[in-house]
Amino acid sequence: MKRRDFLKNLGLATAGVALAPQMATATTVGSASPSAGTPYEAGELNKLDINFRSLKAAVDHTVTAVVVGAGSRGRVYGKYGLLYPDSVKMVGVSDINPERKTEFATKHNIPAERQYGDFHEILAVPKFADAMVIALPDDLHFEAAMKAMELGYDVLLEKPMAQTADECRKLLAQSKKTGRILATCHVLRYAPYFIAMREIIRRGMIGEVVSIQHMEPIQYAHMAHSYVRGNWRSSKETTPIILAKSCHDLDILRWMIGKPCESIVADGSIHLFKAEKAPEGAPYRCTDGCPHEDKCPYSAIDIYVRKKAHNYVFDLKNPKDDAEIMEKLRTTGYGRCVYHCDNDQPDHYVANMVFEGGITSSFAMEAFTPTGGRRTRVMGTTGYIEGDGSSFKLTDLRSRKESVWNMKVKEIPEYKDSGHGGGDHALFRDFVEAVAYQDEARLSSTVDVSIESHLMGFAAERSRKTGRKEKIK
């Protein structure tokens, strides 16, 4: 059964979104928006009949899984197993950090013989679980996923899938060759906010989509932490920032428009985080007595010690111990001055895209913002949507009446403890169901779908470097 037929039969607008029977005759994309008198004009978009499913996977047996990479993302999916032990059980773990590995194993009662260090160790033994969650650094995704599928595992792979377009295509071919499910962690597809926005578009409530403007504010401290000082500072060692940070966003644009991207042109550079922009007298480390520390937004002392932000990377014995954090800043890359790092990732990035049918989209990734959260504007022939990542407003162009969707994730049962606006655990629920029933149609973001946003990202980076418009095959 094709995925769209599966979803239609189940009454799902997307994987994870159930539609009530009364909307079976809802207008489709391209038709006029609903006539006057609908409840949506009264600012009651929260009453749109989208019923967000329970996060507990509906399976007839417990799926077993191993987590390779027990850092931040690995722990997110591990937590799902603690919340819903009847749905999935973590039976193995691999991590080069002994403390992380032991902590994960203890929480999930994983025996010593199923605790591994380097990921090559767990991939050197025969398959002993149904699925493998790969949450390794970007440069290890391809090798680990290829071997895992060869061993017979169904795989949930953190984004980005791989470091090159060719490797992405090889992952797709390996999935087909081995018959294994390969899902990518495009979790925004599972966030109620984006599900509701897409459903409004799908039902034709703004007519035909003509153009979308989308922005990802990285947030200044997050930029400094991850893409200047941290693990994703080098595009050569990991992936270009358009993929490392924003393949989510390219995927969301493709998902909402519902048509393939045909061409892309991009630009961007490092404006601030380079040696020539360093203030006079700035030392190599923020802990070396910087004369500008008290007014620098990117001060490591301010971010990690005063604000206690992003400290999960340190595996602290006491997260509130300032002395312990200061010692980490003196001995790790996270204490470096942002003007004296080995980074090459742009701090501002723009891309313009043309999708099939002449639909256009512009995307901006910006480092110099006080907060995160996506910003989106959707222009349709009869309506307009504008959102800030947590709520959005629909304006009918004829009546000029406005309606608001502002459902809080915490108001949706179970979703309040799931990251990425509720998307993390919703994605894992569907992955568990897909593995249990060997049916990838239960997923929204299979490798067939996810590869498109990656090819868009690689094309954008080529365009940024060459100044040429890139066609996407």
Side-chain angles (χ1 to χ4, degrees):
M1 183 181 293
K2 292 183 179 180
R3 177 178 180 276
R4 61 177 176 269
D5 296 327
F6 170 86
L7 297 179
K8 181 178 178 181
N9 290 345
L10 260 66
L12 299 182
T14 65
V17 184
L19 298 182
Q22 64 264 32
M23 290 305 295
T25 59
T27 53
T28 58
V29 173
S31 61
S33 46
S35 60
T38 67
Y40 314 122
E41 294 179 341
E44 297 181 347
L45 285 177
N46 290 355
K47 296 181 180 179
L48 194 70
D49 52 325
I50 300 176
N51 301 316
F52 299 102
R53 293 175 54 206
S54 166
L55 292 178
K56 179 178 171 59
V59 294
D60 58 6
H61 66 279
T62 302
V63 169
T64 56
V66 295
V67 171
V68 180
S72 177
R73 298 304 298 162
R75 289 194 293 265
V76 165
Y77 300 117
K79 182 180 178 181
Y80 185 93
L82 299 176
L83 293 172
Y84 307 103
D86 293 338
S87 297
V88 62
K89 178 174 175 54
M90 304 301 168
V91 296
V93 62
S94 168
D95 198 289
I96 59 173
N97 184 307
E99 293 180 356
R100 283 202 300 260
K101 178 182 68 176
T102 300
E103 179 185 6
F104 190 95
T106 300
K107 286 183 177 179
H108 295 275
N109 296 315
I110 298 173
E113 62 270 21
R114 292 307 185 193
Q115 300 175 33
Y116 301 87
D118 183 271
F119 76 98
H120 292 98
E121 296 177 13
I122 197 169
L123 293 173
V125 301
K127 172 189 172 187
F128 62 94
D130 300 314
M132 179 174 287
V133 177
I134 298 176
L136 293 164
D138 295 358
D139 59 316
L140 304 178
H141 287 182
F142 174 73
E143 179 186 357
M146 289 289 285
K147 182 62 176 178
M149 287 187 283
E150 179 186 320
L151 290 172
Y153 288 101
D154 292 318
V155 175
L156 179 64
L157 180 62
E158 259 302 333
K159 60 86 184 170
M161 295 163 54
Q163 289 184 288
T164 68
D166 184 57
E167 287 180 346
C168 288
R169 293 188 177 98
K170 288 179 178 178
L171 285 169
L172 173 60
Q174 181 78 325
S175 174
K176 302 304 179 187
K177 176 184 176 182
T178 60
R180 302 327 310 162
I181 293 170
L182 176 60
T184 309
C185 296
H186 278 150
V187 293
L188 296 185
R189 286 172 170 250
Y190 293 85
Y193 169 86
F194 283 110
I195 288 172
M197 183 180 290
R198 179 177 182 266
E199 185 58 18
I200 284 172
I201 294 170
R202 192 191 73 85
R203 296 186 188 189
M205 293 172 66
I206 61 169
E208 296 180 68
V209 172
V210 178
S211 185
I212 298 180
Q213 296 176 353
H214 185 69
M215 178 177 115
E216 181 181 20
I218 295 182
Q219 200 266 349
Y220 71 99
H222 187 183
M223 179 71 194
H225 169 74
S226 294
Y227 305 100
V228 180
R229 294 180 171 116
N231 293 337
W232 293 273
R233 67 188 181 275
S234 170
S235 62
K236 301 176 184 64
E237 293 180 7
T238 57
T239 49
I241 196 168
I242 187 69
L243 284 154
K245 187 71 178 80
S246 300
C247 70
H248 276 317
D249 301 275
L250 300 179
D251 178 68
I252 281 294
L253 291 172
R254 170 65 177 87
W255 189 53
M256 290 199 295
I257 291 171
K259 296 180 179 180
C261 181
E262 296 180 336
S263 66
I264 191 165
V265 60
D267 209 339
S269 63
I270 303 176
H271 176 80
L272 183 65
F273 303 113
K274 50 190 177 181
E276 54 264 39
K277 289 295 183 79
E280 186 177 354
Y284 180 72
R285 288 185 181 273
C286 298
T287 53
D288 291 344
C290 178
H292 310 283
E293 191 278 322
D294 62 339
K295 52 185 177 293
C296 176
Y298 313 102
S299 161
I301 296 173
D302 187 57
I303 293 171
Y304 300 106
V305 180
R306 298 191 189 100
K307 292 187 171 70
K308 300 290 189 296
H310 305 292
N311 285 343
Y312 59 87
V313 296
F314 297 135
D315 295 309
L316 298 167
K317 295 178 181 178
N318 180 0
K320 297 181 180 180
D321 186 343
D322 290 355
E324 187 181 1
I325 300 171
M326 285 292 288
E327 181 60 24
K328 295 291 186 180
L329 299 185
R330 294 188 188 98
T331 57
T332 71
Y334 292 102
R336 290 177 296 178
C337 170
V338 292
Y339 303 104
H340 298 312
C341 292
D342 54 342
N343 56 300
D344 69 355
Q345 301 280 27
D347 50 30
H348 61 132
Y349 204 116
V350 294
N352 290 321
M353 291 152 271
V354 178
F355 289 78
E356 185 180 277
I359 299 170
T360 57
S361 178
S362 62
F363 169 69
M365 181 212 74
E366 306 292 350
F368 307 108
T369 61
T371 60
R374 273 79 176 178
R375 309 291 191 270
T376 309
R377 294 170 175 168
V378 186
M379 279 63 71
T381 54
T382 63
Y384 169 81
I385 299 172
E386 184 164 4
D388 63 3
S390 59
S391 66
F392 60 81
K393 179 172 64 178
L394 166 64
T395 303
D396 184 278
L397 298 185
R398 180 171 179 174
S399 68
R400 302 300 294 272
K401 291 186 177 180
E402 299 177 345
S403 306
V404 174
W405 188 94
N406 59 359
M407 185 179 292
K408 304 299 182 185
V409 172
K410 66 181 181 181
E411 296 172 0
I412 305 172
E414 304 175 80
Y415 278 68
K416 63 181 180 179
D417 293 324
S418 174
H420 282 100
D424 282 344
H425 288 168
L427 176 144
F428 203 65
R429 171 203 61 208
D430 285 8
F431 177 68
V432 169
E433 292 181 356
V435 172
Y437 297 109
Q438 286 298 288
D439 183 6
E440 69 173 12
R442 294 173 182 260
L443 293 164
S444 174
S445 192
T446 61
V447 62
D448 308 68
V449 173
S450 298
I451 195 172
E452 289 194 50
S453 62
H454 286 67
L455 297 181
M456 289 164 65
F458 287 119
E461 187 66 359
R462 290 196 302 273
S463 175
R464 185 184 75 85
K465 290 182 174 181
T466 64
R468 295 194 298 265
K469 187 174 185 177
E470 288 281 335
K471 298 291 185 180
I472 298 175
K473 299 180 181 179

